[in-house]
Amino acid sequence: MRREMASRPRRYWLMKSEPDVFSIDDLRRAPGRTTCWDGVRNYQARNFLRDQLAVGDGVLYYHSSAEPSGIAGEAVVARAGYPDPTAFDPHDVHYDPKSIRSRPTWYAVDVKFVRACAGIIPLARLRRLPAVRSMLVLKRGMRLSVQPVTEAEWRAIMTLPEWAPPE
DNA sequence: GCCAACGTTGGC
DNA sequence: GCCAACGTTGGC
């Protein structure tokens, strides 16, 4: 008997990266416009990567510790959670001897470039948009590097003029 | 560079 | 299990 692929509604995420380390332009220039999103060492974020992110999910690419910080582009999950290879590499800054291959502690996903904003959408601007007031990234003290985004928030972000290329 | 907020570590 | 100390994140 034929079976449909297990399927669920598309979900949306916000993922933080310091542009000095890996920017949206770095992602565009990466081989296959894809990178391994590794090095996450927070258990809540790990759980999202391991259990929740699925191929095709939408990603808001967020520049943190930037001038200004804000949403810099759109990406898509290209590979669901798998053991973070950097955790096994003694020469990597993210090496973690607690993580063993038979029982990995840390997980990564692959993320693929979709588009960059024509102009970054600064955090201060997001704060002034009633439609995205609920976004986790706006919450004080929120340091999670992988955050769920609601469909309503995603849609509101996608309608902003910052996405349009300049005339 | 400052510092608030948060997560982790480790002594007890 | 408590909690103080410490390290990290990240906006400003």
Side-chain angles (χ1 to χ4, degrees), chain A residues 9-21:
Chain A
R10 190 178 192 221
R11 290 184 193 163
Y12 306 97
W13 307 93
L14 180 145
M15 299 175 77
K16 294 181 188 172
S17 181
E18 297 187 23
D20 291 347
V21 178

Side-chain angles (χ1 to χ4, degrees), chain A residues 93-154:
Chain A
V93 286
H94 297 297
Y95 175 59
D96 182 357
K98 293 194 312 296
S99 185
I100 54 175
R101 287 175 196 277
S102 56
R103 265 189 92 233
T105 306
W106 304 114
Y107 281 74
V109 299
D110 285 355
V111 160
K112 183 172 186 182
F113 178 88
V114 174
R115 58 178 170 159
C117 294
I120 203 160
I121 307 167
L123 191 57
R125 168 144 159 72
L126 296 176
R127 292 193 191 287
R128 284 186 269 105
L129 291 173
V132 301
R133 202 164 29 197
S134 56
M135 285 188 79
L136 288 176
V137 73
L138 303 185
K139 286 185 114 176
R140 177 177 164 72
M142 170 52 65
R143 303 188 310 185
L144 250 194
S145 62
V146 180
Q147 304 175 6
V149 170
T150 68
E151 186 176 2
E153 292 161 355
W154 176 270

Side-chain angles (χ1 to χ4, degrees), chain A residues 38-43 84-88 92 94-96 106-107:
Chain A
D38 55 25
V40 172
R41 295 293 179 268
N42 168 279
Y43 286 100
D84 182 344
T86 66
F88 305 132
D92 195 284
H94 297 297
Y95 175 59
D96 182 357
W106 304 114
Y107 281 74

